[in-house]
Amino acid sequence: MLRQRGVALVQVLLVTTIIMLLVMQLSLTAAEQVRKAQAMRDRSEAELYLRSREAALLYTLLTEPLVPAPGSENPYAANWNFHGRPFVVDGIEITLQDQSGLMRFPVSDVAQFRKLLETLGAGPTQARETAGQLATWLGIGLSPGGPVGDAMMRGGTGGPLQYLGELRFLDGMNEQLYRQLAGLMTLYPNPGFNPATAPGPILRMQMSDSAASALLEARARGELDSNRLWEIARIAADEVVSVNVGPGISMRLAGEYRGVALSHKAVVGVQPYDITSVSVWGRERFVAEALQ
């Protein structure tokens, strides 16, 4: 009888232990599910927060003059610039770059591309070879006579790039050089060049180092206008040069909301008085890359 009771007690303890283990497993599973649900909710709210700020920025681009306005009641217009210097509104870091200040991607000639490579520190041989590779890639002849015969682009037909990331396919193109070029070149069909919003390397392609440095200093002080541009570099607006921002503008918004880091980048055409007031030329979304 005592042996039977002992066996029964062991069985009861064993069953109790199994039940406790099952309850613990269910509790852990429930806690993990709650954690995942909360993470999804936080990410959705962060995405919505960033999208709402992007919409507010687009509305401001359509309704405010595209010039710095430090006294404006609109926080975007009061802080913005269009030459790539980040500013912060509502905890979101925003970077705007006028596409007219960048070098348009080669279409029929790679001479400017080669000059840009040399400006960035590439030696004459490397710059010549890389420019030649791009010419072959696009089906552009380095001299008059039409496309080269061994164009690599899309079935050997040649053609324009669809995405700047395709530059990575060029032999000898490293990540550092690509990132430099991606910040200085654009696929947007700019109607002209705007030296007032151009990065330093692009300016040094167009003028002397001393003039480029003086222009950058004047811009940093908020003193750069068409008159100062003429005084410094003897550049005036004409059919090629424009001192007006747009219509192409790249926007990068990056920030953190409830522990979720998000980053959006888009290139938009802003033309408030056209039928299509906003046109999206490109959009990138980096979930885990922000505040770099």
Side-chain angles (χ1 to χ4, degrees):
M1 180 66 68
L2 292 176
R3 181 179 297 177
Q4 291 177 349
R5 290 180 178 177
V7 171
L9 180 59
V10 171
Q11 291 177 339
V12 170
L13 292 174
L14 181 60
V15 172
T16 302
T17 302
I18 293 173
I19 292 175
M20 290 180 63
L21 290 174
L22 288 174
V23 171
M24 291 177 61
Q25 182 61 39
L26 290 173
S27 298
L28 292 174
T29 301
E32 180 65 15
Q33 294 294 335
V34 170
R35 187 192 66 80
K36 290 182 178 180
Q38 185 63 47
M40 293 178 63
R41 176 181 175 181
D42 290 345
R43 184 169 294 280
S44 298
E45 290 187 1
E47 181 75 19
L48 181 61
Y49 182 78
L50 197 62
R51 290 292 186 188
S52 66
R53 296 305 178 273
E54 184 179 83
L57 176 59
L58 277 173
Y59 178 79
T60 304
L61 289 171
L62 287 169
T63 56
E64 296 284 345
L66 301 183
V67 295
S72 174
E73 296 181 358
N74 186 298
Y76 298 97
N79 292 280
W80 67 16
N81 65 85
F82 297 92
H83 52 266
R85 189 179 72 235
F87 60 95
V88 177
V89 175
D90 293 335
I92 300 297
E93 183 183 84
I94 302 171
T95 306
L96 301 176
Q97 174 62 59
D98 175 24
Q99 298 298 281
S100 296
L102 304 181
M103 190 183 86
R104 188 172 177 181
F105 205 84
V107 176
S108 59
D109 185 273
V110 294
Q112 287 294 310
F113 180 73
R114 175 178 173 178
K115 187 175 181 181
L116 178 58
L117 290 174
E118 293 177 350
T119 302
L120 294 176
T125 300
Q126 180 187 359
R128 182 178 63 254
E129 291 178 352
T130 304
Q133 291 170 13
L134 181 61
T136 302
W137 183 269
L138 299 176
I140 299 173
L142 293 177
S143 59
V148 296
D150 59 346
M152 297 180 293
M153 190 72 172
R154 298 182 183 85
T157 60
L161 264 70
Q162 304 296 314
Y163 174 57
L164 281 175
E166 293 182 73
L167 282 174
R168 290 189 173 99
F169 291 106
L170 294 177
D171 293 337
M173 178 66 63
N174 56 51
E175 190 64 22
Q176 180 181 1
L177 180 57
Y178 165 71
R179 287 185 177 274
Q180 288 179 296
L181 292 172
L184 300 173
M185 303 180 70
T186 180
L187 295 172
Y188 191 87
N190 291 318
F193 173 65
N194 186 355
T197 58
I202 300 296
L203 291 176
R204 291 183 175 91
M205 291 175 56
Q206 310 291 332
M207 60 190 73
S208 66
D209 287 345
S210 59
S213 297
L215 194 151
L216 291 172
E217 291 175 3
R219 186 166 69 189
R221 295 192 300 266
E223 301 173 354
L224 184 61
D225 55 19
S226 57
N227 292 330
R228 287 290 289 153
L229 184 62
W230 174 257
E231 292 174 1
I232 294 171
R234 288 296 185 265
I235 296 177
D238 54 25
E239 65 276 5
V240 177
V241 175
S242 172
V243 294
N244 296 319
V245 173
I249 299 172
S250 67
M251 311 184 304
R252 184 180 187 272
L253 292 84
E256 184 175 333
Y257 182 78
R258 293 191 175 181
V260 179
L262 291 175
S263 175
H264 290 175
K265 182 178 180 180
V267 178
V268 297
V270 179
Q271 297 172 298
Y273 302 106
D274 284 9
I275 296 177
T276 304
S277 56
V278 177
S279 56
V280 179
W281 280 81
R283 180 178 292 279
E284 299 177 18
R285 180 173 176 268
F286 305 95
V287 175
E289 180 180 291
L291 301 178
Q292 294 187 351

